[in-house]
Amino acid sequence: MTSIARLRDFVTRFTALHERGLDREALQHEGAALLRELVAQDDWLPEEFARPHPERYSQYLLHCDPLERFSVVSFVWGPGQKTPLHDHRVWGLIGMLRGRERETQFARDADGRFRAGETSDLEPGEVASLAPGVNDYHQVANALADRTSVSIHVYGDNIGGVSRATYDPETGTEKSFISGYSSAVVPNLWDRSKNKGAD
Ligand SMILES: [Fe+2]
């Protein structure tokens, strides 16, 4: 199986997971195994969804479940690009496809201020997870100064439409945002003639 068929297969299997009525933890556990399979090969993401922007990181929607139970997004980091400290408010899975991503987790104290926790690098083929109430605050950066990095994220909602926040790590000051997406189009998963004999 090559090309977009890998993403189609992932979307089909992730949708089927929801039919099993799993709780959040089990869904993430099973979903992580599917994502690990998806990012084990770097031969399927169309170039237009892996294109860096010169000034800021990009987030391209690859698929949104029709019931908005989950969404699949490619994050494309140009050299040196990073997010501010932010939250998600829904569960998430991060699968590294290309390059290297550096994540610093934060804990929030009762007074609203943040403390930086562990910093870790995600290598191609690896999958990390986040969940509200567990580890929902982080800052993410391209760990490579001279190359584009690409990761595939799955969230428990239509993440581009979720109202969430960025934070000033020093003061804890919160700023609401809705991320949206970097492109108005999604990949066509369904032209099976493209993969005849390869599925
Ligand atoms: Fe994030």
Side-chain angles (χ1 to χ4, degrees):
M1 185 164 57
T2 58
S3 185
I4 204 70
R6 289 195 200 283
L7 180 58
R8 181 173 63 235
D9 191 50
F10 174 79
V11 163
T12 302
R13 292 166 77 193
F14 215 101
T15 306
L17 262 190
H18 281 81
E19 305 307 313
R20 289 170 51 193
L22 303 170
D23 62 22
R24 193 270 304 157
E25 212 171 328
L27 184 72
Q28 268 190 293
H29 181 75
E30 302 267 337
L34 297 180
L35 183 57
R36 211 168 282 120
E37 258 185 68
L38 180 66
V39 297
Q41 311 285 340
D42 183 6
D43 61 0
W44 55 268
L45 182 65
E47 195 274 332
E48 59 266 45
F49 301 98
R51 204 174 282 154
H53 185 279
E55 283 152 29
R56 66 192 85 92
Y57 67 92
S58 301
Q59 40 197 343
Y60 298 103
L61 180 65
L62 302 180
H63 173 75
C64 185
D65 173 62
L67 302 180
E68 296 179 278
R69 295 172 299 183
F70 71 97
S71 52
V72 186
V73 181
S74 63
F75 270 67
V76 182
W77 312 89
Q81 292 177 352
K82 62 180 180 187
T83 69
L85 172 59
H86 65 277
D87 66 13
H88 311 82
R89 305 188 184 184
V90 296
W91 62 257
L93 292 167
I94 302 166
M96 203 66 213
L97 186 69
R98 194 178 301 172
R100 187 184 305 138
E101 196 173 279
R102 182 159 297 155
E103 178 201 38
T104 303
Q105 297 206 345
F106 284 79
R108 196 172 198 187
D109 290 333
D111 65 2
R113 287 171 189 251
F114 287 89
R115 270 177 297 117
E118 202 181 320
T119 292
S120 50
D121 283 2
L122 211 57
E123 305 286 345
E126 292 181 339
V127 171
S129 67
L130 46 92
V134 182
N135 59 342
D136 198 33
Y137 303 110
H138 71 178
Q139 190 164 27
V140 183
N142 188 350
L144 304 176
D146 58 348
R147 276 172 51 196
T148 298
S149 290
V150 181
S151 51
I152 306 300
H153 298 204
V154 187
Y155 297 97
D157 202 318
N158 174 8
I159 193 68
V162 174
S163 179
R164 47 204 182 110
T166 59
Y167 300 89
D168 181 322
E170 303 300 323
T171 63
T173 303
E174 179 172 333
K175 197 171 149 195
S176 291
F177 81 107
I178 298 174
S179 69
Y181 297 109
S182 302
S183 172
V185 301
V186 291
N188 182 352
L189 304 182
W190 300 106
D191 184 355
R192 291 182 182 274
S193 71
K194 296 273 191 293
N195 304 106
K196 217 165 165 69
D199 287 19

